Amino acid sequence: MENSFEALIATYIENKVGISEHFLSTNLANNLKQNLIALNQKSLLKEAGIGNSEKVSYDGAIRSDSIYWLDKKHNNAFENEFFAQIEEFILYLNQSCYAGITGYEFHYSLYESGDFYLKHLDQFKNNPSRKYSMISYLNSDWQESDGGELLIHQLDNNQKISPTQGKTVFFKSDELVHEVLVTQNTRMSITGWLKSD
């Protein structure tokens, strides 16, 4: 476990974008994916908004994915296993980097064929509590022709990241503009933020 934590931190320090290819085990990624599929079949996912609860809007010309918030109150075994791993990572991050993280929030994210999310920052102008963004992908057998890459914009090095299963991406929420390119296949992830309230 610590190897995947260290991979995220080391690559983040090197390039402002941390990547661990196997942050999620195959078993956990598969179980989370099946949970997301079941939630979608029950029509429990909602249109994703722009902004936070204080100022939210919906614009399919900017983003077109659907989401479902994870919550310990659901008492879902696989979500709780994911939360336990995130809490271990936060402890490791705080101890090794003095990050001061005190909380987190995560949601499932589902992009159907043709969906996208235009350039944006993850930290709200009216609330700076989101410190780091984390995205864990749930897509097995993803092909380059499926599109749906995460494109992170940096002055000297735009980075295109394929959403392959088990991979987790980590970066500062107020620093890097990014977008999700148009996907040609169903694209699933858990997206969230490490917070300091």
Side-chain angles (χ1 to χ4, degrees):
M1 193 74 72
E2 283 194 3
N3 286 342
S4 64
F5 295 172
E6 191 54 44
L8 275 184
I9 293 170
T11 49
Y12 166 76
I13 290 170
E14 180 182 344
N15 192 37
K16 295 186 177 180
V17 181
I19 299 176
S20 171
E21 295 291 340
H22 305 289
F23 185 84
L24 296 184
S25 69
T26 300
N27 192 49
L28 179 56
N30 282 334
N31 285 326
L32 290 166
K33 176 168 56 181
Q34 291 307 314
N35 198 42
L36 173 50
I37 290 168
L39 290 165
N40 189 46
Q41 288 172 341
K42 295 174 184 174
S43 301
L44 292 174
L45 275 72
K46 305 296 183 187
E47 178 185 2
I50 302 152
N52 59 8
S53 57
E54 296 170 30
K55 187 178 181 183
V56 65
S57 62
Y58 299 90
D59 187 343
I62 295 175
R63 71 181 296 187
S64 51
D65 58 316
S66 301
I67 66 170
Y68 179 91
W69 287 97
L70 279 67
D71 194 318
K72 284 187 176 179
K73 293 176 185 174
H74 299 156
N75 202 26
N76 178 278
F78 308 122
E79 291 179 19
N80 287 344
E81 184 180 346
F82 174 79
F83 285 143
Q85 186 166 333
I86 291 298
E87 287 164 7
E88 283 185 47
F89 175 66
I90 289 172
L91 185 63
Y92 189 87
L93 181 67
N94 284 342
Q95 289 176 342
S96 60
C97 301
Y98 308 104
I101 300 303
T102 57
Y104 56 84
E105 59 184 3
F106 284 89
H107 62 67
Y108 289 114
S109 186
L110 176 69
Y111 289 74
E112 302 285 9
S113 182
D115 285 347
F116 58 89
Y117 192 171
L118 298 184
K119 286 184 187 178
H120 62 283
L121 275 175
D122 280 350
Q123 192 179 86
F124 301 124
K125 291 180 181 178
N126 64 350
N127 184 343
S129 65
R130 289 179 175 179
K131 301 306 180 185
Y132 294 95
S133 302
M134 288 187 75
I135 308 147
S136 295
Y137 295 112
L138 308 175
N139 309 295
S140 54
D141 304 316
W142 196 261
Q143 306 297 317
E144 188 174 347
S145 59
D146 292 330
E149 296 94 345
L150 175 68
L151 179 58
I152 296 180
H153 295 268
Q154 298 196 61
L155 287 176
D156 55 349
N157 180 30
N158 287 351
Q159 193 169 356
K160 194 184 284 189
I161 300 167
S162 179
T164 51
Q165 179 165 296
K167 181 187 294 179
T168 291
V169 181
F170 170 78
F171 54 91
K172 281 194 80 174
S173 299
D174 66 346
E175 190 169 71
L176 296 181
V177 172
H178 55 287
E179 62 184 302
V180 176
L181 301 180
V182 176
T183 184
Q184 306 301 329
N185 204 341
T186 301
R187 177 190 189 275
M188 293 173 280
S189 66
I190 294 179
T191 298
W193 300 274
L194 307 186
K195 304 175 73 176
S196 179
D197 295 316

